[in-house]
């Protein structure tokens, strides 16, 4: 049997390392991993700078605009996400995988692929705000501390993903 070599890390090793990073994060900072909170903090900071009156009067942004609160850009999640982006770039650089390309099935144009990716990302971001956490924050970190909400979140995310993937399978195969 021929072994196919790839430039990707063994997924079992990657999963183990992700769990180790999560454990270290909880041990050192007292917080789990997350990503959507960094986007929310960035949006709050931008709205606060661009339209400070609107942000102060908004029921959503207002509580974050209190002068006694720390600047949203000093959040742990913002620094974590910056580290993820820098680490992803370095990983691609080291493994010689830095390039721009669109991957998709034979029956989908690149513009359609990008439109569906953007729509899916937006829906996931909105859902993460309703759920008060995304895959990494609510599901991964929640399961790490044996939270029942974490297990329910993970089941809902992957169950919905499988159902929606079935509906859009013709775009990929």
């Amino acid at each position: 049997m021929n072994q196919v070599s790839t430039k990707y890390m063994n997924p079992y090793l990657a999963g183990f390392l992700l769990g180790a990073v999560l454990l270290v994060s909880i041990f050192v900072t007292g917080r789990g991993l997350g990503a959507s909170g960094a986007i929310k903090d960035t949006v709050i900071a931008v709205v606060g700078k661009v339209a400070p009156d609107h942000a102060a009067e908004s029921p959503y942004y207002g509580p974050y605009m209190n002068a006694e609160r720390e600047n949203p850009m000093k959040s742990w999640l913002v620094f974590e996400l910056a580290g993820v982006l820098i680490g992803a770039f370095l990983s691609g650089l080291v493994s010689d995988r830095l390039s721009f390309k669109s991957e998709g099935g034979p029956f989908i144009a690149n513009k359609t692929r990008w439109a569906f990716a953007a729509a899916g990302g937006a829906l996931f971001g909105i859902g993460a705000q309703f759920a008060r956490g995304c895959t990494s924050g609510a599901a991964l970190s929640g399961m790490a501390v044996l939270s029942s909400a974490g297990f329910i979140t993970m089941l809902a995310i992957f169950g919905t993903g499988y159902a929606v993937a079935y509906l859009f399978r013709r775009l990929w195969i």
Side-chain angles (χ1 to χ4, degrees):
M1 181 175 191
N2 292 338
Q3 186 82 15
V4 177
S5 67
T6 66
K7 297 178 181 179
Y8 299 103
M9 178 182 284
N10 180 315
Y12 299 110
L13 176 61
F16 173 78
L17 291 175
L18 177 61
V21 167
L22 178 60
L23 180 65
V24 170
S25 171
I26 291 173
F27 182 74
V28 172
T29 69
R31 301 187 63 177
L33 302 175
S36 60
I39 304 297
K40 181 182 79 177
D41 289 337
T42 303
V43 168
I44 289 168
V46 169
V47 171
K49 290 292 182 191
V50 172
D53 293 336
H54 168 72
E57 295 173 8
S58 167
Y60 182 76
Y61 299 115
Y64 297 99
M65 297 295 118
N66 188 339
E68 296 174 7
R69 288 191 67 120
E70 191 170 75
N71 185 327
M73 294 304 287
K74 290 184 179 177
S75 156
W76 146 254
L77 295 174
V78 171
F79 289 102
E80 178 207 308
L81 189 60
V84 167
L85 294 174
I86 292 168
F89 177 80
L90 292 176
S91 172
L93 183 67
V94 167
S95 60
D96 195 28
R97 290 186 288 126
L98 283 182
S99 66
F100 289 101
K101 65 179 180 180
S102 295
E103 294 181 350
F107 305 113
I108 186 169
N110 283 342
K111 286 183 180 179
T112 307
R113 169 74 177 100
W114 280 96
F116 273 96
L123 287 173
F124 197 85
I126 292 168
Q129 288 306 298
F130 282 129
R132 301 184 58 90
C134 61
T135 311
S136 56
L140 190 63
S141 296
M143 288 177 61
V145 295
L146 301 178
S147 164
S148 58
F151 287 97
I152 292 169
T153 301
M154 187 67 87
L155 289 172
I157 288 170
F158 281 97
T160 304
Y162 279 116
V164 172
Y166 179 79
L167 297 174
F168 291 99
R169 70 186 182 284
R170 297 226 183 257
L171 296 174
W172 288 93
I173 53 176

